[in-house]
Coordinates of all heavy atoms in Angstrom, one line a residue:
G1 N 146.4 25.6 -91.4 CA 145.4 24.5 -91.6 C 144.2 25.0 -92.3 O 143.5 24.2 -93.1
D2 N 143.7 26.1 -92.1 CA 142.5 26.7 -92.8 C 142.9 27.6 -94.0 O 142.3 27.7 -95.0 CB 141.6 27.5 -91.9 CG 140.8 26.6 -91.0 OD1 140.6 25.5 -91.4 OD2 140.6 27.0 -89.8
L3 N 144.2 28.3 -93.8 CA 144.7 29.3 -94.8 C 144.8 28.6 -96.2 O 144.4 29.1 -97.2 CB 145.8 29.9 -94.2 CG 146.6 30.8 -95.2 CD1 145.8 32.1 -95.5 CD2 148.0 31.2 -94.7
I4 N 145.5 27.5 -96.2 CA 145.9 26.9 -97.4 C 144.7 26.3 -98.2 O 144.5 26.7 -99.4 CB 147.1 25.8 -97.4 CG1 148.3 26.6 -96.9 CG2 147.2 25.1 -98.6 CD1 149.5 25.7 -96.6
P5 N 143.8 25.6 -97.5 CA 142.6 25.1 -98.2 C 141.8 26.3 -98.7 O 141.2 26.2 -99.8 CB 141.9 24.3 -97.2 CG 143.0 23.9 -96.2 CD 143.9 24.9 -96.1
D6 N 141.6 27.4 -98.0 CA 140.8 28.4 -98.4 C 141.3 29.1 -99.6 O 140.6 29.5 -100.5 CB 140.6 29.4 -97.3 CG 139.7 29.0 -96.0 OD1 139.0 28.0 -96.3 OD2 139.7 29.7 -95.1
L7 N 142.7 29.3 -99.6 CA 143.3 30.0 -100.7 C 143.2 29.1 -102.1 O 142.9 29.6 -103.1 CB 144.6 30.3 -100.5 CG 145.0 31.5 -99.5 CD1 146.5 31.6 -99.2 CD2 144.4 32.7 -100.0
L8 N 143.4 27.8 -101.8 CA 143.3 26.9 -103.0 C 141.8 27.0 -103.5 O 141.7 26.8 -104.8 CB 143.6 25.5 -102.6 CG 145.1 25.3 -102.5 CD1 145.5 24.0 -101.9 CD2 146.0 25.4 -103.8
D9 N 140.8 27.0 -102.7 CA 139.4 27.1 -103.1 C 139.1 28.3 -103.8 O 138.4 28.4 -104.8 CB 138.4 26.8 -102.0 CG 138.5 25.4 -101.5 OD1 138.9 24.5 -102.2 OD2 138.1 25.1 -100.3
Q10 N 139.8 29.5 -103.4 CA 139.5 30.7 -104.0 C 140.2 30.8 -105.5 O 139.7 31.3 -106.4 CB 140.1 31.9 -103.2 CG 139.4 32.1 -101.9 CD 140.1 33.1 -100.9 OE1 140.8 34.0 -101.4 NE2 140.0 33.0 -99.7
V11 N 141.4 30.3 -105.5 CA 142.4 30.5 -106.7 C 142.2 29.4 -107.7 O 142.1 29.7 -108.9 CB 143.8 30.7 -106.3 CG1 144.7 30.8 -107.5 CG2 144.0 31.8 -105.4
R12 N 141.9 28.1 -107.2 CA 141.7 27.0 -108.1 C 142.9 26.9 -109.2 O 142.7 26.9 -110.3 CB 140.5 26.9 -108.8 CG 139.2 26.8 -107.9 CD 139.3 25.6 -107.0 NE 139.4 24.4 -107.7 CZ 139.4 23.1 -107.1 NH1 139.5 23.1 -105.8 NH2 139.5 22.0 -107.8
P13 N 144.2 26.9 -108.7 CA 145.3 27.0 -109.7 C 145.4 25.7 -110.4 O 145.0 24.6 -109.9 CB 146.5 27.1 -108.8 CG 146.1 26.5 -107.5 CD 144.6 26.9 -107.3
D14 N 146.0 25.8 -111.6 CA 146.2 24.5 -112.4 C 147.5 23.7 -111.9 O 147.6 22.5 -112.2 CB 146.5 24.9 -113.9 CG 145.4 25.6 -114.6 OD1 144.2 25.2 -114.2 OD2 145.6 26.5 -115.2
L15 N 148.3 24.3 -111.0 CA 149.5 23.7 -110.5 C 149.9 24.5 -109.2 O 149.8 25.7 -109.2 CB 150.7 23.7 -111.5 CG 152.1 23.1 -111.0 CD1 151.9 21.6 -110.8 CD2 153.1 23.5 -112.0
V16 N 150.4 23.8 -108.2 CA 151.1 24.3 -107.1 C 152.5 24.0 -107.1 O 152.9 22.8 -107.3 CB 150.3 23.8 -105.8 CG1 151.4 24.1 -104.5 CG2 149.0 24.4 -105.5
L17 N 153.4 25.0 -106.8 CA 154.8 24.8 -106.6 C 155.0 25.0 -105.1 O 154.7 26.1 -104.6 CB 155.5 25.8 -107.4 CG 155.4 25.8 -108.9 CD1 156.1 27.0 -109.6 CD2 155.9 24.5 -109.5
Y18 N 155.4 24.0 -104.5 CA 155.5 24.0 -102.9 C 157.0 23.9 -102.5 O 157.7 23.0 -102.7 CB 154.8 22.8 -102.4 CG 155.0 22.5 -101.0 CD1 155.0 23.5 -100.0 CD2 155.1 21.3 -100.4 CE1 155.1 23.3 -98.7 CE2 155.2 20.8 -99.1 CZ 155.3 22.1 -98.2 OH 155.5 21.8 -96.9
N19 N 157.4 25.0 -101.8 CA 158.7 25.1 -101.2 C 158.6 24.5 -99.8 O 158.2 25.2 -98.9 CB 159.1 26.5 -101.2 CG 160.6 26.7 -100.6 OD1 161.2 25.8 -100.0 ND2 161.2 27.8 -101.0
A20 N 159.1 23.3 -99.6 CA 159.0 22.6 -98.4 C 160.4 22.8 -97.5 O 160.9 21.9 -97.1 CB 158.8 21.1 -98.6
G21 N 160.9 24.1 -97.4 CA 162.0 24.3 -96.7 C 161.9 23.7 -95.2 O 160.7 23.8 -94.6
V22 N 163.1 23.1 -94.7 CA 163.0 22.6 -93.4 C 163.5 23.4 -92.4 O 163.8 23.0 -91.1 CB 163.6 21.1 -93.4 CG1 162.9 20.2 -94.3 CG2 165.2 21.2 -93.7
D23 N 163.9 24.7 -92.7 CA 164.4 25.6 -91.7 C 163.5 26.1 -90.6 O 164.0 26.8 -89.8 CB 165.3 26.8 -92.4 CG 164.7 27.3 -93.6 OD1 163.5 26.9 -93.8 OD2 165.3 28.0 -94.4
P24 N 162.2 25.9 -90.7 CA 161.4 26.1 -89.4 C 161.6 25.2 -88.4 O 161.1 25.3 -87.2 CB 159.8 26.0 -90.1 CG 159.9 26.0 -91.6 CD 161.3 25.6 -91.8
H25 N 162.6 24.1 -88.5 CA 162.8 23.2 -87.5 C 163.5 23.9 -86.3 O 164.2 24.8 -86.5 CB 163.8 22.1 -88.1 CG 163.9 20.9 -87.1 ND1 164.8 20.8 -86.1 CD2 163.1 19.8 -87.1 CE1 164.6 19.7 -85.5 NE2 163.7 19.0 -86.1
R26 N 163.2 23.3 -85.1 CA 163.7 24.0 -83.9 C 165.1 24.0 -83.8 O 165.7 24.8 -83.0 CB 163.1 23.2 -82.6 CG 163.5 21.7 -82.5 CD 162.9 21.1 -81.3 NE 161.4 21.2 -81.3 CZ 160.6 20.3 -80.8 NH1 161.1 19.2 -80.3 NH2 159.4 20.5 -80.7
N27 N 165.9 23.0 -84.5 CA 167.3 23.1 -84.3 C 168.1 23.8 -85.5 O 169.3 23.7 -85.6 CB 167.9 21.6 -84.2 CG 167.3 21.0 -82.9 OD1 167.1 21.6 -81.9 ND2 167.2 19.6 -83.0
D28 N 167.3 24.4 -86.4 CA 168.0 25.0 -87.6 C 168.8 26.3 -87.1 O 168.2 27.0 -86.4 CB 166.9 25.4 -88.5 CG 167.5 25.6 -89.9 OD1 167.9 26.9 -90.2 OD2 167.7 24.7 -90.8
R29 N 169.9 26.3 -87.8 CA 170.9 27.4 -87.3 C 170.4 28.9 -87.7 O 170.6 29.9 -87.2 CB 172.3 27.2 -87.9 CG 173.0 26.1 -87.1 CD 174.5 26.1 -87.5 NE 174.8 25.7 -88.9 CZ 175.2 24.6 -89.2 NH1 175.3 23.6 -88.4 NH2 175.3 24.3 -90.5
L30 N 169.5 28.8 -88.8 CA 169.1 30.1 -89.4 C 167.5 30.2 -89.3 O 166.9 31.0 -90.0 CB 169.5 30.2 -90.8 CG 171.0 30.1 -91.1 CD1 171.2 30.3 -92.6 CD2 171.8 31.1 -90.3
G31 N 166.9 29.4 -88.4 CA 165.4 29.4 -88.3 C 164.7 30.4 -87.5 O 164.2 31.4 -87.9
R32 N 164.6 30.0 -86.1 CA 163.9 30.8 -85.2 C 162.5 30.3 -84.9 O 161.7 30.8 -83.9 CB 163.9 32.3 -85.5 CG 165.2 33.0 -85.5 CD 165.1 34.5 -85.6 NE 166.4 35.1 -85.8 CZ 166.6 36.4 -86.2 NH1 165.6 37.2 -86.3 NH2 167.8 36.8 -86.3
L33 N 162.0 29.4 -85.7 CA 160.8 28.8 -85.3 C 161.0 27.5 -84.5 O 162.3 27.2 -84.4 CB 159.8 28.4 -86.6 CG 159.3 29.7 -87.3 CD1 158.5 29.3 -88.4 CD2 158.7 30.7 -86.4
C34 N 160.1 26.6 -84.2 CA 160.3 25.7 -83.2 C 159.6 24.3 -83.6 O 159.1 23.7 -82.7 CB 160.0 26.0 -81.9 SG 160.9 25.2 -80.6
L35 N 159.6 23.9 -85.0 CA 158.9 22.7 -85.4 C 159.8 21.5 -85.1 O 161.0 21.6 -85.1 CB 158.5 22.8 -86.8 CG 157.2 23.5 -87.2 CD1 157.1 25.0 -86.7 CD2 156.9 23.3 -88.6
S36 N 159.1 20.4 -84.9 CA 159.9 19.1 -84.8 C 159.8 18.4 -86.1 O 159.2 18.9 -87.1 CB 159.2 18.3 -83.7 OG 157.7 17.9 -84.2
D37 N 160.6 17.3 -86.1 CA 160.5 16.5 -87.5 C 159.1 16.1 -87.7 O 158.6 16.2 -88.8 CB 161.4 15.2 -87.2 CG 163.0 15.4 -87.3 OD1 163.3 16.6 -87.5 OD2 163.6 14.6 -87.2
N38 N 158.3 15.7 -86.6 CA 156.9 15.3 -86.9 C 156.1 16.4 -87.4 O 155.2 16.3 -88.2 CB 156.4 14.6 -85.7 CG 155.3 13.8 -85.9 OD1 155.2 12.9 -86.8 ND2 154.1 14.1 -85.2
G39 N 156.4 17.6 -86.8 CA 155.7 18.8 -87.2 C 155.9 19.1 -88.7 O 154.9 19.5 -89.5
L40 N 157.1 18.9 -89.1 CA 157.4 19.3 -90.5 C 156.6 18.2 -91.5 O 156.2 18.5 -92.5 CB 159.0 19.1 -90.8 CG 159.7 20.3 -90.3 CD1 161.3 20.0 -90.4 CD2 159.4 21.7 -91.1
L41 N 156.8 16.9 -91.0 CA 156.1 15.9 -91.8 C 154.6 16.0 -91.9 O 154.0 15.9 -93.0 CB 156.4 14.5 -91.2 CG 155.8 13.3 -91.8 CD1 156.2 13.0 -93.3 CD2 156.1 12.0 -91.0
N42 N 154.0 16.5 -90.8 CA 152.5 16.7 -90.8 C 152.2 18.0 -91.7 O 151.2 18.1 -92.3 CB 152.0 16.9 -89.4 CG 151.8 15.6 -88.7 OD1 151.7 14.5 -89.4 ND2 152.0 15.5 -87.4
R43 N 153.2 19.0 -91.6 CA 153.0 20.2 -92.5 C 152.9 19.7 -93.9 O 152.1 20.0 -94.8 CB 154.1 21.1 -92.2 CG 154.2 22.3 -93.2 CD 155.5 22.9 -93.3 NE 156.5 22.1 -94.0 CZ 157.8 22.5 -94.1 NH1 158.2 23.7 -93.9 NH2 158.6 21.6 -94.8
D44 N 153.9 18.8 -94.4 CA 154.0 18.4 -95.8 C 152.7 17.6 -96.1 O 152.3 17.6 -97.3 CB 155.3 17.6 -96.0 CG 156.5 18.5 -95.8 OD1 156.4 19.7 -95.9 OD2 157.7 17.9 -95.5
R45 N 152.4 16.7 -95.2 CA 151.1 15.9 -95.4 C 149.9 16.7 -95.7 O 149.1 16.5 -96.6 CB 150.9 15.0 -94.4 CG 151.8 13.8 -94.2 CD 151.6 13.0 -92.9 NE 152.4 11.8 -92.9 CZ 152.7 11.2 -91.7 NH1 152.4 11.8 -90.5 NH2 153.4 10.0 -91.8

């Protein structure tokens, strides 16, 4: 929540390429993190 805004303010890139992988989800077979659908949606927002 603070990391990404701080980095954007430091770098001020002309474009962001965002990899929105959904494998941090709690049910992902190759994941190991424990996010919910709502957690992923709020991450993307």
Side-chain angles (χ1 to χ4, degrees):
D2 290 327
L3 174 64
I4 291 174
D6 288 349
L7 288 176
L8 287 172
D9 288 338
Q10 292 171 31
V11 177
R12 299 302 301 181
D14 298 319
L15 176 70
V16 164
L17 301 173
Y18 172 40
N19 184 337
V22 298
D23 39 14
H25 194 273
R26 61 180 54 148
N27 294 333
D28 194 272
R29 289 195 289 261
L30 303 182
R32 299 187 186 173
L33 295 184
C34 206
L35 272 64
S36 66
D37 286 1
N38 200 51
L40 289 171
L41 179 59
N42 285 329
R43 175 201 68 172
D44 295 340
R45 286 170 170 156

